Amino acid sequence: MQHDKVLILDFGSQYTQLIGRRVRELNIYSEIHPFNKIPKDIEDYKAVILSGSPNSVRGEAALHPDLSQIRGKKPMLAVCYGAQYLAHFSGGEVAPSNTREYGRANLSYIKEDAFFKEIKEGTQVWMSHSDTIKKLPTKAVLLASTNDVTNAAYKIEGETTYAIQFHPEVYHSTDGKQLLENFLVRIAGLQQDWTPQSFVEETVDAIKAKVGSDKVVLGLSGGVDSTVAAVLLNKAIGENLYCIFVNNGLLRKNEFKSVLKQYEGMGLNVKGVDASERFLNALKGIEDPEKKRKAIGNAFIEVFDDEANKLTDVKWLAQGTIYPDVIESVSATGGPSATIKSHHNVGGLPDFMKLKIVEPLRAIFKDEVRRVGATLGIDPELLGRHPFPGPGLGIRILGDITAEKVRMLQEVDAIFIDGLKSWGLYDKVWQAGAMLLPVNSVGVMGDERTYEKCVALRAVESTDGMTADWVNLPYEFLQKTSNEIINKVKGVNRVVYDISSKPPATIEWE
Ligand code: XMP
């Protein structure tokens, strides 16, 4: 079945991915492409959205694509930079603004339009721009203003072209989603039929068609993405899917056993491989964070390769790659740049494996992976798990890694995470974990002087891990957790809480 799709042209705004997600929340499929790489099959897109940008249309580096295949031919919504772009290059005028144009503003309507259907006048919108539109482009009709911004929304007569200075995609624009729906559904006439259920059915059919009766191998990590990918593949090809779950010795406390059990309960054909010793040996004496990552990555490839070689006739490798990993986005510093990440967990597969790749989640965002997972009946607890890095506790133990340090950190981490759960805080936090620091400090326990390790607790809120802020956990919780850790975990006598945001700090300490 063909779904209507929306093309989002990315001019480098920090919010471009949010536009994509909002559109998809309306059950309409959207794709993000760089502003200067209009897809060849442009005919297949039913509407186009131009994103914002950190650039100015007035500068020499103004991003200036050729929109002749789109403008006036397809419904188009221009957001922020997009609205200024239309003005600047089509007979209007854009200049630096001299009033504050960041944050909240309220819309006053100038002209009634289907664009504002169901949205009350005065609705809050979110502004974030330093240029302003002084004069509208040729044939423009002003639709709405705010106190500080006269030309806040306009349309072009004789075209289905709308332009807005504010950002409908951010949550602070209270009716932003309704506005996008008005444009895409009422005005552009798109169908809202792209649902998690339709995604599952179509993806299962597509996997069957692609893979046929070939065998597929997949590395499970215990995380959401690889699990949802596995369940989708299992639905499509059943026993021909061979899952491998490797214990690298750097998992959370009891995680290997409990996750393996959970997978078996889900009917997956999964083999658990306990390679803890191999990993710990490979890591012996290594202190440098990058070298640790490499050592873990290489050990993983070796284990995975050994296991895959035991299977005969495997032709495909399945991966849980998701959409943010494949979007080519425009960098904020100017020209378009490919920001495709190398695969964290697998660290690039050796050529000799020669497997074809199948990635059933390539087209969807993390929150959509969760919804697809729910549609597939996967346990909500598994779907709600915090992200956990591929190298596991290996990048949370600063300095060299030993079995004793892993044990210590597993205990600390378990107390912290279980505490978050029992205090009802786990789901309010995007990611949490503990770091074992290479620092000994003096303490007293009973009448004894101690000289033991210090651990740092970290809990952050985020949407995608790209930026993050520390969570203001209740003091009482921190107090109880700290006491419990120091009382129960031998070798730890001090607990600190990390209050750094990302940037400039990262979420993991290594
Ligand atoms: P940072 O530390 O870069 O982390 O702020 C951002 C997010 O990425 C996760 N992370 C990793 N995940 N392999 C992974 O699979 C890795 O090597 C890795 N390094 C960081 C981190 O847990 C956070 O969610």
Side-chain angles (χ1 to χ4, degrees):
M1 180 180 170
Q2 282 290 324
H3 300 278
D4 289 343
K5 41 181 196 173
V6 176
L7 169 65
I8 298 163
L9 287 181
D10 177 28
F11 289 85
S13 163
Q14 56 176 323
Y15 301 131
T16 305
Q17 285 201 19
L18 264 189
I19 304 180
R21 281 162 53 186
R22 290 290 165 273
V23 171
R24 287 164 172 224
E25 280 169 19
L26 295 167
N27 295 335
I28 298 173
Y29 181 68
S30 68
E31 279 175 14
I32 297 171
H33 291 264
F35 73 95
N36 54 357
K37 288 196 188 162
I38 295 174
K40 292 203 172 59
D41 57 346
I42 180 69
E43 280 316 309
D44 293 347
Y45 296 82
K46 271 198 94 172
V48 178
I49 299 179
L50 310 185
S51 85
S53 173
N55 289 50
S56 165
V57 290
R58 295 173 299 106
E60 291 213 339
L63 312 178
H64 190 174
D66 173 10
L67 297 182
S68 57
Q69 293 166 280
I70 297 170
R71 171 96 194 254
K73 299 187 172 132
K74 286 179 189 294
M76 183 168 89
L77 173 64
V79 174
C80 196
Y81 178 92
Q84 296 175 358
Y85 172 84
L86 282 187
H88 185 73
F89 292 106
S90 310
E93 190 192 334
V94 174
S97 52
N98 41 25
T99 50
R100 178 180 161 276
E101 294 185 5
Y102 288 93
R104 288 178 184 78
N106 299 90
L107 277 190
S108 303
Y109 296 149
I110 308 295
K111 192 171 188 313
E112 206 181 286
D113 196 281
F115 196 46
F116 298 125
K117 214 70 193 187
E118 322 256 343
I119 303 176
K120 286 210 179 84
E121 180 148 23
T123 183
Q124 175 178 299
V125 293
W126 197 256
M127 295 282 184
S128 177
H129 57 111
S130 47
D131 278 355
T132 200
I133 301 168
K134 290 277 183 231
K135 184 173 156 235
L136 291 178
T138 319
K139 290 205 194 151
V141 181
L142 182 62
L143 297 179
S145 304
T146 69
N147 265 350
D148 292 326
V149 180
T150 309
N151 296 316
Y154 63 88
K155 69 175 179 183
I156 306 284
E157 225 169 344
E159 298 178 12
T160 329
T161 299
Y162 285 76
I164 46 181
Q165 184 57 83
F166 53 90
H167 289 271
E169 67 276 20
V170 304
Y171 281 112
H172 292 93
S173 286
T174 321
D175 293 302
K177 195 166 160 190
Q178 180 69 50
L179 195 93
L180 288 171
E181 182 168 354
N182 288 347
F183 170 70
L184 292 171
V185 181
R186 280 180 210 270
I187 295 169
L190 276 80
Q191 300 290 323
Q192 295 172 282
D193 55 9
W194 191 75
T195 59
Q197 185 60 42
S198 71
F199 176 85
V200 168
E201 286 161 15
E202 286 154 31
T203 306
V204 165
D205 288 347
I207 294 170
K208 281 184 187 161
K210 188 170 184 169
V211 171
S213 54
D214 290 348
K215 289 182 184 168
V216 179
V217 62
L218 177 144
L220 283 168
S221 72
V224 177
D225 302 342
S226 64
T227 305
V228 174
V231 175
L232 269 172
L233 277 145
N234 184 46
K235 213 169 151 70
I237 60 169
E239 288 291 302
N240 275 342
L241 173 69
Y242 294 84
C243 300
I244 298 172
F245 179 39
V246 178
N247 182 6
N248 58 11
L250 303 162
L251 299 173
R252 293 190 141 127
K253 189 179 171 184
N254 298 331
E255 191 172 22
F256 183 57
K257 276 199 191 125
S258 67
V259 172
L260 200 53
K261 206 160 159 211
Q262 203 167 10
Y263 281 145
E264 281 161 357
M266 286 158 68
L268 292 177
N269 177 9
V270 55
K271 177 170 182 192
V273 181
D274 190 350
S276 321
E277 282 205 17
R278 188 162 175 170
F279 279 84
L280 284 178
N281 281 335
L283 282 164
K284 212 168 247 165
I286 303 181
E287 294 187 2
D288 179 78
E290 278 312 302
K291 288 192 180 137
K292 276 193 212 167
R293 267 204 172 71
K294 283 236 163 65
I296 296 170
N298 288 340
F300 184 84
I301 289 170
E302 284 170 25
V303 174
F304 196 79
D305 191 43
D306 282 357
E307 292 304 319
N309 279 334
K310 289 182 197 159
L311 304 166
T312 46
D313 299 334
V314 172
K315 297 236 169 61
W316 297 83
L317 171 76
Q319 293 187 328
T321 314
I322 64 172
Y323 194 43
D325 297 336
V326 293
I327 299 177
E328 246 191 281
S329 47
V330 176
S331 87
T333 48
S337 65
T339 52
I340 302 173
K341 283 190 239 161
S342 56
H343 204 285
H344 266 323
N345 300 335
V346 181
L349 283 164
D351 281 348
F352 60 84
M353 282 186 73
K354 301 252 181 329
L355 294 172
K356 293 182 275 183
I357 304 283
V358 52
E359 296 175 317
L361 309 177
R362 254 184 98 76
I364 61 177
F365 289 106
K366 188 89 181 182
D367 44 345
E368 295 169 327
V369 175
R370 292 205 164 98
R371 267 181 278 153
V372 167
T375 304
L376 288 165
I378 298 175
D379 183 357
E381 202 179 313
L382 196 158
L383 293 177
R385 291 179 85 184
H386 289 172
F388 187 65
L393 300 180
I395 56 171
R396 294 183 180 170
I397 295 172
L398 279 72
D400 72 321
I401 296 171
T402 62
E404 173 57 12
K405 288 183 186 173
V406 172
R407 182 207 61 80
M408 220 186 265
L409 189 57
Q410 280 178 335
E411 296 298 329
V412 173
D413 178 83
I415 293 172
F416 185 35
I417 300 297
D418 290 348
L420 286 170
K421 286 183 180 158
S422 63
W423 280 61
L425 295 166
Y426 186 83
D427 292 333
K428 300 197 171 100
V429 167
W430 189 78
Q431 186 174 18
M435 322 290 155
L436 185 70
L437 308 187
V439 170
N440 277 40
S441 72
V442 175
V444 278
M445 277 192 199
D447 290 330
E448 301 256 333
R449 175 187 182 278
T450 59
Y451 188 57
E452 294 179 330
K453 287 270 173 288
C454 173
V455 291
L457 305 182
R458 182 126 170 91
V460 296
E461 50 192 17
S462 176
T463 47
D464 50 16
M466 302 295 285
T467 57
D469 208 352
W470 59 280
V471 179
N472 201 342
L473 292 175
Y475 281 167
E476 224 186 312
F477 168 76
L478 289 171
Q479 187 185 33
K480 269 201 82 194
T481 306
S482 161
N483 275 350
E484 193 176 341
I485 290 171
I486 294 173
N487 286 334
K488 289 194 179 155
V489 185
K490 205 165 154 266
V492 175
N493 69 353
R494 193 174 294 271
V495 176
V496 297
Y497 187 54
D498 182 349
I499 52 166
S500 328
S501 62
K502 173 182 179 178
T506 49
I507 295 175
E508 305 294 347
W509 280 39
E510 284 196 339

